[in-house]
Amino acid sequence: MVAAALALGLIQLGKTVHLNTTHPAAHLAGKLNGDVPGLHVSRIDPKVETQRYVDKIIVAKSPGLDAQERAVLLEGFRSPCTEKVAVFHAFPRNVCEGRRALVVLDTAPTGHSMLLMDASGASTANDAQGRRARKRARRHAADATARRRVHQVHSGDAA
């Protein structure tokens, strides 16, 4: 209800709002969708997204697998984490749908919300770590190039 109140308050301020819900009950999508000008409501359906995610991984990974390896891959999808990963993968796609609007996210009760935020924080931290690693690699490459030039000058190899 907080997400809906926030979305409606933003609309009253003249904003366009994309309200996205990951809540399994999907009560917002049923109650508000199409009824409020300036509000677009969408839902990430965990069951649909889990199947989409599993299908995508199977198409990408299974062609090179034998029957036993494929069975191991499929067994891994039985983890409860698979649904959370699938919802997390669907989130950016749904946010992009609201590109020209403020995005308000309605999530399921606290445990689900915390997992989603934790996953997004981990992803952000991983992205930042990757950027730092690439920056260090460029710096080391530049340093190595500078050392080679200095060596060439001292050894008389420079043109």
Side-chain angles (χ1 to χ4, degrees), residues 107-120:
T107 61
T110 305
H112 186 233
S113 302
M114 298 304 285
L115 287 169
L116 187 59
M117 287 186 285
D118 184 49
S120 66

Side-chain angles (χ1 to χ4, degrees), residues 134-156:
R134 287 188 297 276
K135 188 175 181 179
R136 276 193 308 273
R138 285 191 301 270
R139 190 172 52 243
H140 289 308
D143 290 347
T145 300
R147 282 192 299 275
R148 278 194 301 277
R149 287 186 185 137
V150 168
H151 176 72
Q152 288 173 346
V153 167
H154 288 296
S155 65

Side-chain angles (χ1 to χ4, degrees), residues 13-145:
L13 294 173
K15 306 296 182 187
T16 301
V17 177
H18 179 107
L19 177 59
N20 186 280
T21 183
T22 63
H23 199 294
H27 59 282
L28 288 179
K31 290 181 182 176
L32 294 174
N33 203 21
D35 294 339
V36 180
L39 176 66
H40 173 72
V41 180
S42 66
R43 178 172 181 254
I44 296 174
D45 182 327
K47 301 289 183 224
V48 169
E49 294 304 332
T50 300
Q51 190 60 54
R52 180 180 290 161
Y53 175 75
V54 168
D55 292 346
K56 177 182 172 185
I57 299 300
I58 287 174
V59 166
K61 300 286 185 184
S62 69
L65 302 178
D66 62 29
Q68 184 178 3
E69 292 168 328
R70 184 176 163 87
V72 170
L73 178 65
L74 292 172
E75 178 67 28
F77 291 129
R78 292 194 180 129
S79 165
C81 295
T82 302
E83 182 178 294
K84 290 166 183 56
V85 170
V87 167
F88 180 69
H89 278 260
F91 181 64
R93 184 180 68 244
N94 280 267
V95 168
C96 285
E97 289 175 7
R99 194 172 291 181
R100 291 177 171 63
L102 293 173
V103 176
V104 176
L105 178 63
D106 173 52
T107 61
T110 305
H112 186 233
S113 302
M114 298 304 285
L115 287 169
L116 187 59
M117 287 186 285
D118 184 49
S120 66
S123 176
T124 301
N126 192 30
D127 291 346
Q129 184 179 15
R131 284 192 302 274
R132 286 192 300 273
R134 287 188 297 276
K135 188 175 181 179
R136 276 193 308 273
R138 285 191 301 270
R139 190 172 52 243
H140 289 308
D143 290 347
T145 300

